[in-house]
């Protein structure tokens, strides 16, 4: 790939993809398409017998026998759904909801399919894709307002507890799409309701806005049960990974879980708003910049030089003795070519350890172009240096950085230290005074710092400070519900992510994530096999997208809610080998993954319902769409890089894991994707481990080092580019994790184990009040009271000498 010109990827990162893609294109697999006609037929059985002819002539008709008897509301007879007024539509929906309460399982499924057709946008009555999406949204609000979500939640709980379906799936040698029919219909309806209601438009009427807030509250704060709806979906994930329910449609479960978390907790822009408000409540200064806007305004840089280009450049330089000065056009815009140095090419010493055998080298930009003759200094072209107007990020300084700087300065100039005192500067030279002043000007106190300090005070003075007031937010409710099974949730998500990763090899003991994409009858032609292969790859990509989004949302919201909630999730992800798993994911041809064409645009919903399907050929299947890149794959890559950054930031033991797993060449290959946000998070991961990679690596990767300086936030006292005292610094990595774990356990015990921790509970010492308390005794106690008195009181000898001894 060295000679290929990588184009800049025009990608705007956000909470989710476009509404059409999220609503339809990724919810259904291509194997499910025949069921679209089944849904329409079930609806028209309930709605209008005159619609039978249109269904019979439609491409979705199956050869199943058509019922001869219909139950049709008289007001709707002979009329399309779009022609009914709101009152008639509500009456018909209420009538269908009654069909969900019948005993017959088959009858309930037919009614659920009819409701799914409404949520899908009554595509049989629409002429364009926009009309289908419009009516899908309209019907979703109507269905929710009439209690459809609650009804489907009860049906979903019944299906999860259906032991007969689980045992039947366990006995089968191969699980197919037919084993999860009921669950897929229920989850599809719930997903469409959540996604349609979640997205807010300016044209929404007031009653829709009210319904949205009510729905968000219903999902966040459980009314009928003790746990939020997201916990039910997490339970399905655990049950699937444990092997007790292999027929669960995991793709739909994970997509619904992601959208429920996005709806109830809030997206990335909502997080930024919440962060600003929280800092105001704590009395902290405002944020120096809006990180989302800064990243959107950043431009992508050219990738580092690959080995093929390196060899060509060396050959060209060998055939000529003179070349004019040229401005560097790669990642580094600071390190200009020095004509007074000898030509020396450095090779990345880590590249020899790559799995795929590729080697990437870079020229040391400080030692290039040695064949140029010496020139007078005044003749050097001044215009060749192009400095930016300013760095994109404001520098930040932590309180610890100021303390460490003063400790080193006092040891050097005075010979003793003053602990954590950062105000006393007596005896220090004037430049040190100026340095401390500059550091304090850029001092940044995070919300996490305040939370850690408050937690330390609560641990030291539990009696005097009293009980902590915990705000009942959706994030707090979710964490409290997830707390005791949180390790199992994280392990289950990572198991599925491993099975869906493109670099994972098929193993007999791995979980089967393809249960809801494989048809009952396997393909018999080459064309059918190609279609199924595209569907399987697309299925895996969607799973990776949803899991990466779920993990990132959990980490960001828990960190804002309380730092130790975030650390608890992070530590269990690290213990479950999340770091090597993400590196394994990126150890592939990342450009091929970003530009993958695992889609068949003519089969995507709702296009396939309003247009005549052309005859599929091998050429049309291989063509894919015309997009420059795959949105979901680039979204997944950025999410996984952000997760890796959050797990390793300020954690030296986890940074060393990046070094031990030889992540530098893997991450450096990811810089080939010319997208600013993805490059930023790759450079952050390279920055934190640069000091551990050795001088030769830094010398051989000067363009990458320059890119880090240009794009990543500066920490003024951070010697990331040098690491002179790394060998002499005694890191105890195991103790670091153990200390953190002790703090997390103390936090969880103090806040969430209150019934068990009765050490500081008040004791009633008054005899009259203790004896006067009314105790609720069980019914059987009255029958055995006399027997208990005889055995425990009258037959037991009283040893008075024992009583006198204790007095």
């Amino acid at each position: 790939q060295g000679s290929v010109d990588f184009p800049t990827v025009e990608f705007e990162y956000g909470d989710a993809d476009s509404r059409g893609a999220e609503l339809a294109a990724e919810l259904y697999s291509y194997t499910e398409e025949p069921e679209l006609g089944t849904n329409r037929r079930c609806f028209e059985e309930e709605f209008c017998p005159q619609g039978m002819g249109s269904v019979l002539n439609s491409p979705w008709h199956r050869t199943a026998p058509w019922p001869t008897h219909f139950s049709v509301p008289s007001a709707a007879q002979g009329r399309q759904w779009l022609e009914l007024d709101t009152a008639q539509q509500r009456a018909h929906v209420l009538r269908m909801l009654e069909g969900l309460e019948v005993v017959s399982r088959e009858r309930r499924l037919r009614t659920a399919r009819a409701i799914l057709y409404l949520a899908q946008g009554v595509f049989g009555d629409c002429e364009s894709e926009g009309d289908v999406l419009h009516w899908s949204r309209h019907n979703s609000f109507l269905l929710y307002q009439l209690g459809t979500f609650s009804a489907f939640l009860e049906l979903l709980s019944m299906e999860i507890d259906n032991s007969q379906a689980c045992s039947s799936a366990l006995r089968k040698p191969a699980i197919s799409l037919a084993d999860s029919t009921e669950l897929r219909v229920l989850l599809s309806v719930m997903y469409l309701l959540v996604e349609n209601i979640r997205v807010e438009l300016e044209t929404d009427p007031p009653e829709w806005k009210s319904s949205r807030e009510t729905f968000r509250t219903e999902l966040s704060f459980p009314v009928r049960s003790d746990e939020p709806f997201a916990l039910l979906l997490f339970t399905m994930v655990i049950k699937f990974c444990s092997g007790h329910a292999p027929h669960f449609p995991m793709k739909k479960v994970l997509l619904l879980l992601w959208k429920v978390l996005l709806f109830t907790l809030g997206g990335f822009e909502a997080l930024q708003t919440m962060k600003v408000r929280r800092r105001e409540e704590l009395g902290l200064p405002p944020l120096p910049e809006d990180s989302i806007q800064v990243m959107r305004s950043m431009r992508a840089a050219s990738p580092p030089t690959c080995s093929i280009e390196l060899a060509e450049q060396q050959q060209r330089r060998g055939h000529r003795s003179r070349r004019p000065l040229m401005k560097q056009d790669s990642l580094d815009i600071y390190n200009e070519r020095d004509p007074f140095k000898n030509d020396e090419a450095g090779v990345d010493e880590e590249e020899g350890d790559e799995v795929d055998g590729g080697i990437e080298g870079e020229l040391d930009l400080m030692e290039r172009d040695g064949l140029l003759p010496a020139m007078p200094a005044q003749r050097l072209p001044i215009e060749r240096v192009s400095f930016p107007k300013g760095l994109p990020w404001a520098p930040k300084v932590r309180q610890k950085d100021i303390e460490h700087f003063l400790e080193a300065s006092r040891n050097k100039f005075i010979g003793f230290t003053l602990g954590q005192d950062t105000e006393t500067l007596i005896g220090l030279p004037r430049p040190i005074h100026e340095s401390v002043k500059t550091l304090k000007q850029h001092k940044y106190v995070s919300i996490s710092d305040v939370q850690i300090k408050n937690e330390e005070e609560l641990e030291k003075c539990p009696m005097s400070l009293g009980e902590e007031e915990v705000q009942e937010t959706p994030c707090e409710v979710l964490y409290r519900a997830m707390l005791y099974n949180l390790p199992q949730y994280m392990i289950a998500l990572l198991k599925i992510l491993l099975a869906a990763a493109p670099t994972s090899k098929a193993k007999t003991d791995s979980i089967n994530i393809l249960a809801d994409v494989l048809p009952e009858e396997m393909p018999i032609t080459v064309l059918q096999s190609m279609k199924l292969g595209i569907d399987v790859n697309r299925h895996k990509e969607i799973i990776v997208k949803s899991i990466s989004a779920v993990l990132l949302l959990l980490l960001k919201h828990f960190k804002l809610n309380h730092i130790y909630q975030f650390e608890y999730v992070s530590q269990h992800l690290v213990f479950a080998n999340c770091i090597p798993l993400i590196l394994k994911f990126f150890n592939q041809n990342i450009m091929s993954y970003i530009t993958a064409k695992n889609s068949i645009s003519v089969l995507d919903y709702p296009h396939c319902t309003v247009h005549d399907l052309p005859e599929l050929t091998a050429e049309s299947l291989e063509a894919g769409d015309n997009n420059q890149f795959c949105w979901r794959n680039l979204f997944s890559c950025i999410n996984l890089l952000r997760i890796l950054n959050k797990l390793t930031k300020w954690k030296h033991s986890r940074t060393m894991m990046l070094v031990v797993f030889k992540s530098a060449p893997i991450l450096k290959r990811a810089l080939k994707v010319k997208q600013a946000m993805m490059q930023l998070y790759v450079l952050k991961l390279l920055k934190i481990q640069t000091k551990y990679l050795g001088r030769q690596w830094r010398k051989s990767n000067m363009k990458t080092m320059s890119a880090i300086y240009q794009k990543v936030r500066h920490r003024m006292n951070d010697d990331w580019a040098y690491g002179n005292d790394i060998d002499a610094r005694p890191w105890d990595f195991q103790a670091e994790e153990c200390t953190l774990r002790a703090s997390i356990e103390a936090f969880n015990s103090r806040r969430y184990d209150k019934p068990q921790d009765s050490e500081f509970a008040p004791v009633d010492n008054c005899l009259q009040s203790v004896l006067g308390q009314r105790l609720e005794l069980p019914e059987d106690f009255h029958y055995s009271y006399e027997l208990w008195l005889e055995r425990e009181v009258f037959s037991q000898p009283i040893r008075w000498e024992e009583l006198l001894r204790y007095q």
Side-chain angles (χ1 to χ4, degrees), residues 19 23 118-121 132-141 188-201 204 208 212 215 263:
R19 180 165 162 255
L23 271 178
L118 280 180
Q120 288 172 336
V132 176
L133 295 177
H134 167 75
W135 282 103
S136 174
R137 195 159 188 267
H138 174 273
N139 293 340
S140 294
F141 276 96
S188 295
V189 172
M190 301 174 87
Y191 178 87
L192 289 170
L193 292 184
V194 170
E195 180 64 10
N196 274 314
I197 297 175
R198 179 187 71 85
V199 179
E200 185 174 0
L201 301 180
D204 290 347
W208 283 14
R212 180 180 297 110
F215 194 22
F263 186 27

Side-chain angles (χ1 to χ4, degrees), residues 96-111:
M96 285 196 296
L97 290 177
E98 293 178 359
L100 295 176
E101 300 177 1
V102 298
V103 177
S104 172
R105 182 183 178 88
E106 183 181 352
R107 177 75 177 90
R108 290 200 308 268
L109 178 60
R110 287 203 305 269
T111 305

Side-chain angles (χ1 to χ4, degrees), residues 94 118 123 153 158 173 186 288 295 337 384 392-393 477 489 591 600 626 680 693 797:
L94 288 172
L118 280 180
F123 51 81
L153 181 56
M158 289 172 54
L186 298 175
M295 283 185 284
R337 299 168 180 172
R384 68 189 180 95
W393 304 100
V477 172
Y489 297 146
M591 283 300 298
I600 308 171
N626 297 323
L680 173 65
L693 295 177

Side-chain angles (χ1 to χ4, degrees), residues 18-115:
S18 64
R19 180 165 162 255
E22 296 293 345
L23 271 178
E26 297 185 351
L27 178 60
Y28 313 107
S29 62
Y30 299 140
T31 319
E32 289 180 271
E33 284 186 7
E35 298 185 10
L36 295 173
T38 307
N39 299 340
R40 179 180 177 183
R41 187 173 66 218
C42 290
F43 174 78
E44 297 196 3
E45 288 177 12
E46 295 280 344
F47 183 68
C48 180
Q50 282 81 356
M52 182 176 67
S54 62
V55 176
L56 290 172
N57 296 326
S58 70
W60 309 110
H61 174 62
R62 285 186 173 183
T63 57
W66 194 266
T68 56
H69 300 286
F70 303 89
S71 55
V72 186
S74 58
Q77 193 165 2
R79 299 177 60 184
Q80 290 184 331
W81 176 262
L82 311 187
E83 298 175 356
L84 301 181
D85 57 31
T86 305
Q88 291 172 329
Q89 290 178 347
R90 293 172 66 91
H92 188 74
V93 170
L94 288 172
R95 195 174 188 285
M96 285 196 296
L97 290 177
E98 293 178 359
L100 295 176
E101 300 177 1
V102 298
V103 177
S104 172
R105 182 183 178 88
E106 183 181 352
R107 177 75 177 90
R108 290 200 308 268
L109 178 60
R110 287 203 305 269
T111 305
R113 284 191 178 279
I115 295 175

